[in-house]
Amino acid sequence: MLYFSKAKTIAIIAVCLIGLLLALPNAFKHGSLPDWLPQNRITLGLDLQGGSHLLLAVDMPAVIHDRLETMLESVRTNLRKESLRYTGLALRDRSVVFTLASADDIETARGALAPLVRPDEPGKPADYGLTFDGLTGRIALADSGVQAWADKAAQQSIEIVRRRIDETGVNEPMIARQGADRILVQLPGVSDPGRIKRLLGQTAKMTFHMVGDRALGDGSVPAGYRLLPSADPARPGEKILVSRKIEVDGSHLTDAKPSFDQQNGQWVVSFSFDGQGARRFAEVTKMAVGKPFAIVLDDKVVSAPVIREPITGGRGQISGSFTAASANDLAVLLRAGALPAPLTVVEERTVGPDLGADSIRAGMIAISVGFVLVVAYMGIFYGLFGWFANVALVFNLAITLGALSLMQATLTLPGIAGLLLSLGMAVDANILINERIREEAKKGRGVAASMETGFKRAFATIFDSNITTLIKMAILFSIGVGTIRGFAVTISLGIIVSMFTAITVTRLLMVVWFRRTKPKSLPMVNHFRLVPDHTKIAFMRGRLLGLGGSVVLSVASVVLFFHPGLNYGVDFAGGTVMEVRSENAVDFPALRADLQSLPIGPVQLQAFGSPNDVLIRLERQEGGDAAQAEVVKQVQAMLERDYAGSEIRRVDSVGASVSAELFQDGMMALGLAAIAMLIYIWFRFEWQFGVGAVVTMLLDVTKTVGFFAITGMQFNLTAIAAILTIMGYSINDKVVVYDRVRENLRLYRTMPLRQLIDKSINETLGRTVGTSLATFLAIIPLAVFGGEALREFALVLMFGVVLATSSSVFIAAPLLLLLGEHRLRPGLSAKALAKVEGETDDTGEAPTPAR
């Protein structure tokens, strides 16, 4: 331990310097550093720099319907080519059905329709299956076809969404597929996503059709035609009879751009076709001279001009009362191409730039204050060794930031909380080491032996406690979404780095100090103590009171969970939360009246922060995700119209489908974390330790849920992150106590388990209280300076720290005694337990009498 080779020393110093170098670009403006220095930097999340997060869902029912509509027209065409008589051609239950007039026509119909149901490629399953039941034919859609279409539609949609957004000039957008039929879009710096949503919400499927003469005498639509609404403001409410047959498809467009028609004094959109499209367009317009020709966009007739002469140049224009902005948007849509299916906004989170700047400022203050408090604590209570730990803590922060920069990770508001929390958890390893060194020195060992043994015995505890936290964070990352994943990454990285800095950097500093000074005593033995040395508190005397009180509180928490229940946030309940800042103090009655006049259902208003700030909560809409998106539009339009100067600082809108999935994933994360920790502790210790730790952790979780119910704090994804953090901290604390119990089981083979557990708790009490205080000091700045978004998160963590610390002593230890008294000490009968009362243990001290 007291020897570091020159190569190892150089390697440790190099890692620290590289970490500092990689973190350096974050302290300077982009481009201000020389080119030979690293340029990678941490990307700020949307909640810090402002921007919009949209989760879009591909409308798969629309994809299926369009495919079946196309199949229906193909069936009609192929049957007519063979002059086959049929009736009842229609769509029914994902199938095209029809009835032939004669049984003699069945084989002919099979031959005519065979090309339509043939697989696209040899060896692949067919998308359709053709069957006959008597005279009724059915072309049914296969499940393999639906899956293939869903995958293709999602891939096509991603490319088209990317092209549309690139056309708008948004810097560094992030577009990715999420799940089978969803697309995640993150737009930094876009505080008003209205235009983007309009661009993405339009399918932009443009087709050209012949216009029918008129409806039938009874007003019905003739076969092969349909009535479509006019999108021309000059012809409001008008319905136009349009042939179902697509004469020219918009997929042949090569360019579209807005232009101003000087002759008519209006904006138009000019377009051009590729070679195939130009030839087809010329043929159609040559046959349609003197007839109206409909330009259809997303099932609305944009224009229906009369063809005066054949258009042979492959160029045309669309007119229709456009403004410069609307003409440009339509050109963007046409250039990017048509979406294979409509996209619905199922989740929207928007943060204004001012709110993002406030979050950065609050986060930096919280980190600075927390860092200073933790550093001061270590210096005061552990002296020179505490300052060695502080140096390691500086490198811990630098290496963590450097690693995040190297990965070009995105730092979110929960990520800032994770950084600060990881500092508190990093101190835990140093406290364990220092407390172990202090213990060895109190036993009369020399300086070198105390340092050697202290590091050696602390390593196993540090390893076990950190591994349990990493397991929990891995589950949180795999199941979590968005900012919660950032929190998991930051904590995990901080823990891994802390194991390096606490065990290697701190030890190197101590060795250098020892070699240079040749001390006769340790510099931290006589410093301030939170807990006196050699306490002999009989904790197990109160074991029944502790267990009984815990069960009562947990049962009460379960009752509170059902009634009055939790205040589910928008993540789990669905709906919309809008944070609005007005120029003047908010007039709540007037705003409530204006919102209630809209057809949007119940509305809740909540004051927070300054008198100019208000939270608007809208319930989940019955019409599904599309209805939810429409409600957001209506509220935004009302605010823009009636409250000029107001600023929408944040919008969180989650549809029903997403909220249900988020809740399910959150509960799954809690369950998997509990199982994973049980398995690990069972593997590392004995089953009694694993069961005791996990049962105690679950009791801590129920009490935390009760805390949410009593306080009315929002239960959302951030709450799940807080609970998982408390679970990790709870297990971490139990591991420290259990590790000492396991060690003492080997040292004191005749000591009764009850007495041994008391001894173990007393020996680790200084570390337990010290770590809790250090974590508290790291979390308090989040509650004070972290702003509205992190305050509740910090308060829950503070409650969890107190809960986990107390449960280690009053619940986990009694459970271990209950489960292990006749298994971990099987040779000690009741008479043996009575016999050892008053006898000295292996250390020469009189043990606490067994009870």
Side-chain angles (χ1 to χ4, degrees):
M1 178 267 170
L2 298 181
Y3 173 74
F4 274 82
S5 66
K6 185 176 290 186
K8 189 174 182 180
T9 302
I10 292 173
I12 294 170
I13 295 173
V15 171
C16 294
L17 292 178
I18 290 171
L20 285 170
L21 196 63
L22 291 173
L24 191 63
N26 297 289
F28 296 90
K29 290 185 178 180
H30 186 66
S32 60
L33 293 175
D35 293 339
W36 55 271
L37 284 174
Q39 301 295 323
N40 288 351
R41 55 205 300 122
I42 296 172
T43 303
L44 295 180
L46 299 183
D47 53 355
L48 293 177
Q49 67 171 314
S52 294
H53 161 113
L54 301 172
L55 185 62
L56 310 170
V58 179
D59 188 350
M60 286 310 302
V63 173
I64 294 171
H65 184 268
D66 285 350
R67 291 297 185 111
L68 289 174
E69 282 277 3
T70 302
M71 175 59 74
L72 185 144
E73 291 302 316
S74 299
V75 169
R76 176 183 284 116
T77 300
N78 286 23
L79 292 179
R80 285 180 175 178
K81 281 182 180 179
E82 298 295 330
S83 301
L84 296 173
R85 291 180 299 155
Y86 62 89
T87 58
L89 180 63
L91 299 181
R92 191 180 304 154
D93 298 330
R94 297 207 313 185
S95 302
V96 177
V97 297
F98 58 92
T99 302
L100 296 173
S102 171
D104 297 335
D105 296 335
I106 291 179
E107 291 306 316
T108 305
R110 283 187 186 275
L113 301 177
L116 302 181
V117 297
R118 190 176 297 137
D120 294 334
E121 297 180 21
K124 286 192 174 183
D127 293 344
Y128 296 94
L130 173 62
T131 59
F132 277 91
D133 182 8
L135 297 177
T136 300
R138 178 183 295 270
I139 297 181
L141 178 59
D143 290 339
S144 59
V146 174
Q147 186 175 355
W149 293 351
D151 186 67
K152 186 176 180 180
Q155 292 293 343
Q156 289 178 342
S157 297
I158 287 174
E159 292 305 316
I160 292 166
V161 166
R162 181 175 287 111
R163 289 201 294 265
R164 290 186 184 182
I165 291 176
D166 287 344
E167 291 275 0
T168 66
V170 175
N171 291 324
E172 298 181 358
M174 196 278 279
I175 303 162
R177 184 172 178 178
Q178 191 173 90
D181 60 349
R182 289 183 181 161
I183 302 170
L184 176 64
V185 179
Q186 292 188 341
L187 309 169
V190 177
S191 58
D192 179 14
R195 181 186 175 218
I196 301 294
K197 287 196 294 182
R198 286 192 294 271
L199 288 176
L200 300 182
Q202 288 185 252
T203 309
K205 183 178 181 180
M206 190 170 79
T207 52
F208 297 83
H209 304 254
M210 298 302 300
V211 175
D213 295 332
R214 60 185 182 278
L216 298 176
D218 58 359
S220 61
V221 177
Y225 286 84
R226 56 179 176 162
L227 283 172
L228 296 180
S230 171
D232 190 343
R235 306 168 72 175
E238 183 177 347
K239 297 277 190 177
I240 300 175
L241 188 65
V242 175
S243 170
R244 289 183 177 272
K245 182 182 179 183
I246 297 174
E247 302 294 347
V248 185
D249 195 298
S251 61
H252 294 293
L253 288 175
T254 57
D255 192 20
K257 56 187 176 181
S259 59
F260 190 77
D261 189 339
Q262 298 286 349
Q263 183 176 355
N264 297 319
Q266 63 180 1
W267 283 93
V268 296
V269 177
S270 302
F271 60 85
S272 56
F273 287 108
D274 59 17
Q276 182 180 351
R279 288 191 296 273
R280 179 59 185 161
F281 197 62
E283 293 172 3
V284 172
T285 54
K286 186 181 297 184
M287 293 185 297
V289 171
K291 298 179 182 179
F293 193 51
I295 303 172
V296 177
L297 181 69
D298 293 344
D299 290 334
K300 293 182 180 179
V301 179
V302 176
S303 179
V306 174
I307 304 298
R308 303 300 178 190
E309 58 184 15
I311 303 173
T312 57
R315 297 178 180 274
Q317 69 179 28
I318 306 170
S319 59
S321 303
F322 291 115
T323 63
S326 62
N328 182 68
D329 285 350
L330 178 56
V332 166
L333 292 171
L334 296 180
R335 283 198 302 271
L339 289 167
L343 297 178
T344 303
V345 178
V346 295
E347 181 182 354
E348 174 189 352
R349 301 181 191 273
T350 301
V351 176
D354 291 341
L355 184 58
D358 291 346
S359 299
I360 294 174
R361 186 162 49 251
M364 294 307 297
I365 292 174
I367 287 179
S368 302
V369 174
F371 186 79
V372 169
L373 289 176
V374 171
V375 164
Y377 167 79
M378 292 299 294
I380 291 171
F381 286 94
Y382 293 100
L384 181 62
F385 281 11
W387 289 107
F388 287 161
N390 288 335
V391 173
L393 204 60
V394 172
F395 285 116
N396 177 287
L397 184 59
I399 295 172
T400 301
L401 291 175
L404 291 173
S405 301
L406 187 64
M407 296 186 298
Q408 294 184 300
T410 299
L411 184 65
T412 61
L413 207 54
I416 289 179
L419 272 177
L420 195 50
L421 195 57
S422 66
L423 288 180
M425 298 175 75
V427 170
D428 178 46
N430 287 297
I431 291 176
L432 275 169
I433 292 169
N434 282 317
E435 288 293 336
R436 275 293 196 174
I437 293 174
R438 192 197 298 270
E439 279 185 47
E440 299 305 318
K442 288 292 185 181
K443 292 177 182 178
R445 294 180 185 271
V447 175
S450 297
M451 293 167 61
E452 174 76 35
T453 309
F455 270 96
K456 182 178 179 181
R457 292 189 172 178
F459 177 78
T461 307
I462 293 171
F463 181 82
D464 284 332
S465 60
N466 284 335
I467 287 296
T468 55
T469 305
L470 286 175
I471 290 172
K472 175 253 305 178
M473 287 301 162
I475 292 171
L476 185 59
F477 178 83
S478 63
I479 294 181
V481 294
T483 56
I484 303 304
R485 280 189 162 192
F487 173 79
V489 169
T490 306
I491 290 282
S492 301
L493 196 56
I495 289 173
I496 294 170
V497 173
S498 72
M499 293 181 70
F500 167 76
T501 56
I503 295 171
T504 307
V505 177
T506 304
R507 188 171 67 171
L508 177 61
L509 292 171
M510 288 182 179
V511 168
V512 171
W513 164 81
F514 178 80
R515 287 180 177 176
R516 289 187 177 181
T517 62
K518 306 295 183 184
K520 301 298 183 184
S521 62
L522 290 169
M524 38 76 80
V525 174
N526 298 317
H527 270 72
F528 298 103
R529 297 287 288 150
L530 289 171
V531 177
D533 291 324
H534 305 301
T535 57
K536 296 181 180 179
I537 303 171
F539 290 103
M540 291 302 96
R541 287 182 178 177
R543 64 189 183 281
L544 297 180
L545 181 62
L547 285 173
S550 175
V551 171
V552 169
L553 288 175
S554 293
V555 170
S557 297
V558 172
V559 173
L560 289 171
F561 172 77
F562 290 102
H563 183 77
L566 299 178
N567 177 23
Y568 290 107
V570 67
D571 294 333
F572 295 156
T576 300
V577 173
M578 304 176 72
E579 181 180 329
V580 180
R581 172 167 290 178
S582 66
E583 290 185 330
N584 305 309
V586 178
D587 184 347
F588 280 84
L591 180 58
R592 183 176 288 106
D594 289 339
L595 289 168
Q596 288 177 347
S597 66
L598 301 175
I600 59 177
V603 178
Q604 297 178 16
L605 299 183
Q606 177 184 338
F608 78 102
S610 72
N612 294 25
D613 294 326
V614 60
L615 281 181
I616 302 173
R617 299 177 185 274
L618 310 174
E619 290 188 358
R620 189 168 65 189
Q621 302 299 303
E622 293 183 357
D625 298 330
Q628 193 73 38
E630 182 59 33
V631 162
V632 175
K633 291 181 184 178
Q634 292 183 34
V635 175
Q636 289 174 331
M638 186 276 291
L639 291 172
E640 292 173 2
R641 183 183 66 248
D642 300 338
Y643 294 85
S646 62
E647 175 194 358
I648 301 176
R649 291 163 62 85
R650 175 171 65 94
V651 176
D652 286 350
S653 184
V654 180
S657 57
V658 174
S659 62
E661 292 171 12
L662 292 178
F663 185 78
Q664 180 180 351
D665 290 347
M667 295 302 102
M668 186 183 298
L670 295 178
L672 288 177
I675 294 171
M677 291 179 187
L678 172 63
I679 293 172
Y680 180 79
I681 296 176
W682 194 329
F683 174 77
R684 288 288 292 167
F685 294 84
E686 298 287 343
W687 70 266
Q688 294 91 348
F689 292 89
V691 172
V694 171
V695 168
T696 306
M697 180 189 69
L698 294 177
L699 290 173
D700 287 347
V701 169
T702 58
K703 295 182 188 71
T704 306
V705 171
F707 179 75
F708 275 103
I710 290 175
T711 59
M713 292 182 180
Q714 284 195 49
F715 193 79
N716 49 24
L717 279 175
T718 306
I720 293 293
I723 290 176
L724 282 168
T725 303
I726 291 170
M727 289 171 66
Y729 188 86
S730 176
I731 288 288
N732 184 304
D733 211 47
K734 277 68 178 167
V735 165
V736 172
V737 176
Y738 282 178
D739 187 70
R740 184 59 64 94
V741 171
R742 179 176 59 177
E743 181 181 325
N744 286 337
L745 282 169
R746 292 193 294 264
L747 290 175
Y748 310 114
R749 298 183 181 277
T750 60
M751 182 180 290
L753 185 60
R754 188 181 313 170
Q755 187 176 327
L756 186 141
I757 290 174
D758 274 340
K759 180 178 180 64
S760 301
I761 294 174
N762 280 288
E763 288 176 347
T764 58
L765 198 57
R767 174 268 165 198
T768 300
V769 175
T771 299
S772 298
L773 179 58
T775 308
F776 238 90
L777 292 175
I779 296 173
I780 285 174
L782 286 177
V784 177
F785 305 107
E788 194 72 24
L790 290 179
R791 185 169 293 118
E792 291 189 356
F793 179 75
L795 291 174
V796 175
L797 288 182
M798 291 167 67
F799 171 81
V801 168
V802 175
L803 186 67
T805 302
S806 60
S807 67
S808 298
V809 175
F810 298 108
I811 304 173
L815 278 175
L816 180 61
L817 178 61
L818 180 67
L819 295 170
E821 190 161 21
H822 300 294
R823 295 176 178 85
L824 299 176
R825 283 285 190 247
L828 291 180
S829 62
K831 288 184 178 181
L833 293 178
K835 185 177 179 181
V836 297
E837 287 192 15
E839 294 182 0
T840 58
D841 60 25
D842 295 348
T843 65
E845 298 179 355
T848 304
R851 299 183 184 276

